[in-house]
Amino acid sequence: MATKPSHNLVWNNKAECMPVEERRSLQLKRLQDLVARLSVQSPFYRNQFKKHGIKPEDIKTLDDLRRLPFTVKDDLRDNYPYDLFATPVKDVVRIHCSSGTTGKPVVSGYTANDIDMWTEMVARSLTSAGATYRDVVHNSYGYGLFTGGLGADMGARRIGAATVPMSGGVNNRQLMLMEDFGATVLTCTPSYALVLAETAAQMGIDIKNRIKLRVGVFGAEPWTEEMRVEIEEKLHLEAYDIFGMGEIMGPGVSIECAYHNGLHMQDDNFLPEIINPDTGEPVPPGEQGELVITTLTKEAMPLIRYRTRDITRLTDEPCPCGRTSVRHFKLAGRTDDMLIIKGVNVFPSQIEAVLLRHSELAPQYVLLVERNNNLDRLEIQVEATEEFYKLGEDNIRMFSEKLHYEMQQMLYISSKIIIVPPLTLQRSEGKAKRVIDKRKELL
Ligand code: DLL
């Protein structure tokens, strides 16, 4: 992580650095307009407002946001495909949806203005990561229904960078083109960034001297500070965390600046709150909880108080970069990723943090949770590095015991550690699937 910022570029100084009071007035005005608009244009929200006895004139201050009802993922599923749209489909120019393979997907529609706003958000994000028109952006986020590929592409286009629209896969070709085209910015999931680093090592490519990457804009899945260090060392770049979700927009809802002290929420468009996921009540300022977002300016599918299920905390401490937006910290996980093992809450990110502290291990792991005779069992499969694996069984056994102890200190439960040979766990081109919870099959 940079101790001294590598740059201080801002794409839209007026919007990103506006005085806090002006930002709050803008947010209130936008919230009032939104509630007024949805009361007329959205059958879903009109109904919700009626049920909760809310009229547009009730929104007098930003605190009145709390009077509005939450929107949850099931509302999106129940209103598949278009019943949450607040504009007729004739005004929609793009439709994205979730890539799940079971059941109906979660749909998100965009008007031309929505696409324009999204493009602007990604332009701001890439600039916040230090990218400019001089850069060659190697974009390995998947193009298609997933918002990552097209989202990053549109933003890179707006800042005038040269974009290579790769998507994930065919790793050796990715590296060849990165080298030949002189890529300076890499956009992909953090797990795929590591797959590319690993492929380079297998192919004997000297990344430092042959590949010119200097910035990575990584997101779409949780990743720890330990993972950041690993990626920065292996790919010789500065890694930035970017957050977003299809329902809200896509990538660019928030992004780190060069100070890497949290992700700046683009809160002139996306108003964040943190709630206690069990009670729905706001948590005290600065405490961790579930991130809830209201989209202030979206036209086709605005969402009020959308429960993201992502867990983080907010800060409004001023940032030396000059942006005045609220920041959220790296996500700790999702409420639905949290494993309850033997009655204890376990986040995969806690396990990743312990594993990645060890140079004996490669950053590839799978968590297997099973239940036998009503007893939960957590198995952590993690790959050894080539060098460590060569040291043989006794060393591996001794190291596993040490890791078992450390894991117990972190998680307060016992786990089974299995160190597997290098390059044996499955790699992913997009979001890594690291948790296999076999208990779900029993439900
Ligand atoms: O992942 C959009 C995106 C694309 C974000 C490219 C960043 C970069 P979904 O597929 O709808 O959209 O998944 C959204 O992914 O609720 C989080 O749980 C997780 N997620 C996204 N970004 C991050 C991040 C895209 N930086 C879900 N850190 C979200 C941790 C993230 N988790």
Side-chain angles (χ1 to χ4, degrees):
M1 218 197 299
T3 42
K4 191 164 161 280
S6 51
H7 72 89
N8 199 6
L9 298 174
V10 178
W11 175 252
N12 184 338
N13 198 68
K14 186 167 181 299
E16 295 178 73
C17 304
M18 76 174 78
V20 175
E21 275 318 307
E22 192 181 326
R23 181 177 291 277
R24 289 181 69 80
S25 316
L26 180 70
Q27 288 167 334
L28 176 61
K29 166 88 178 61
R30 287 182 167 175
L31 181 65
Q32 289 168 329
D33 289 351
L34 175 70
V35 174
R37 183 157 50 89
L38 293 182
S39 304
V40 179
Q41 291 178 0
S42 162
F44 173 80
Y45 280 114
R46 196 165 50 229
N47 204 9
Q48 289 283 77
F49 295 160
K50 202 167 147 200
K51 227 162 63 189
H52 290 81
I54 290 153
K55 295 194 191 68
E57 54 274 23
D58 294 335
I59 307 299
K60 296 193 174 75
T61 71
L62 277 177
D63 286 340
D64 292 325
L65 175 67
R66 298 207 189 125
R67 302 179 57 175
L68 300 173
F70 292 118
T71 310
V72 295
K73 201 171 216 160
D74 276 346
D75 293 322
L76 274 69
R77 293 216 175 91
D78 296 346
N79 288 284
Y80 176 86
Y82 295 151
D83 286 353
L84 262 180
F85 284 15
T87 47
V89 177
K90 73 174 173 50
D91 295 336
V92 168
V93 298
R94 173 93 66 75
I95 298 169
H96 279 279
C97 67
S98 60
S99 51
T101 45
T102 52
K104 295 286 191 194
V106 169
V107 177
S108 182
Y110 305 78
T111 63
N113 283 338
D114 291 336
I115 292 286
D116 190 56
M117 184 271 282
W118 180 11
T119 305
E120 168 77 11
M121 294 305 103
V122 184
R124 287 188 197 172
S125 302
L126 292 173
T127 308
S128 180
T132 73
Y133 65 95
R134 293 178 194 275
D135 280 297
V136 175
V137 177
H138 185 98
N139 185 17
S140 303
Y141 284 121
Y143 282 68
L145 290 174
F146 175 55
T147 52
L150 280 162
D153 188 295
M154 296 185 307
R157 166 81 185 86
R158 180 153 297 176
I159 66 170
T163 309
V164 185
M166 284 302 298
S167 282
V170 201
N171 307 338
N172 50 2
R173 195 174 163 76
Q174 301 249 357
L175 287 153
M176 180 186 85
L177 296 186
M178 248 188 245
E179 180 176 3
D180 294 349
F181 294 171
T184 47
V185 177
L186 173 63
T187 51
C188 63
T189 59
S191 55
Y192 193 57
L194 282 174
V195 170
L196 291 174
E198 184 177 82
T199 309
Q202 281 165 350
M203 292 168 69
I205 296 176
D206 170 6
I207 295 192
K208 189 165 182 204
N209 292 309
R210 281 176 49 189
I211 294 190
K212 288 198 249 164
L213 289 177
R214 59 181 192 84
V215 167
V217 182
F218 304 125
E221 63 183 2
W223 53 307
T224 54
E225 285 302 329
E226 288 77 7
M227 174 95 112
R228 186 204 301 270
V229 172
E230 187 101 21
I231 295 175
E232 290 191 335
E233 278 173 11
K234 290 190 166 152
L235 285 175
H236 299 277
L237 49 70
E238 184 174 345
Y240 287 78
D241 194 356
I242 185 168
F243 166 78
M245 62 196 331
E247 300 95 301
I248 296 296
M249 181 184 72
V253 171
S254 61
I255 176 82
E256 286 178 341
C257 66
Y259 287 87
H260 300 280
N261 56 0
L263 287 80
H264 286 274
M265 192 87 196
Q266 313 254 27
D267 61 7
D268 48 344
N269 293 295
F270 307 108
L271 195 58
E273 299 167 74
I274 302 286
I275 60 160
N276 175 327
D278 299 326
T279 63
E281 290 302 315
V283 299
E287 272 190 24
Q288 183 166 285
E290 179 180 346
L291 177 65
V292 170
I293 299 178
T294 299
T295 65
L296 293 174
T297 50
K298 267 178 78 181
E299 293 180 342
M301 210 183 90
L303 293 177
I304 291 217
R305 302 192 83 197
Y306 184 64
R307 291 190 60 161
T308 65
R309 302 188 186 177
D310 289 312
I311 298 169
T312 186
R313 57 197 173 89
L314 297 179
T315 177
D316 54 8
E317 284 284 301
C319 180
C321 78
R323 290 176 181 81
T324 48
S325 47
V326 158
R327 305 193 299 286
H328 68 83
F329 291 97
K330 231 175 183 344
L331 301 192
R334 291 176 57 79
T335 51
D336 44 5
D337 272 359
M338 186 180 80
L339 298 161
I340 302 182
I341 303 175
K342 300 176 193 169
V344 175
N345 298 348
V346 172
F347 283 106
S349 59
Q350 294 174 296
I351 298 177
E352 179 177 300
V354 173
L355 296 177
L356 267 59
R357 275 183 219 147
H358 295 282
S359 58
E360 290 86 349
L361 301 174
Q364 299 293 342
Y365 64 94
V366 169
L367 312 179
L368 192 71
V369 191
E370 289 174 314
R371 180 168 291 165
N372 282 327
N373 299 328
N374 285 328
L375 223 67
D376 293 335
R377 179 176 170 274
L378 168 65
E379 179 174 304
I380 302 173
Q381 300 178 1
V382 57
E383 275 182 17
T385 58
E386 293 278 356
E387 305 79 62
F388 181 56
Y389 202 67
K390 282 192 206 133
L391 295 181
E393 258 178 48
D394 285 350
N395 280 301
I396 292 181
R397 195 174 322 110
M398 195 169 68
F399 179 76
S400 302
E401 282 166 17
K402 185 173 126 195
L403 196 57
H404 177 263
Y405 175 75
E406 275 179 39
M407 217 42 100
Q408 190 151 12
Q409 297 292 303
M410 170 66 101
L411 306 178
Y412 305 111
I413 54 161
S414 175
S415 56
K416 186 169 169 70
I417 307 275
I418 305 216
I419 306 217
V420 300
L423 307 177
T424 48
L425 295 177
Q426 203 179 348
R427 305 298 194 257
S428 130
E429 296 169 4
K431 300 182 190 238
K433 177 149 180 46
R434 301 201 197 272
V435 180
I436 303 169
D437 192 343
K438 296 225 161 172
R439 297 172 304 181
K440 288 195 176 144
E441 294 163 16
L442 303 175
L443 296 177

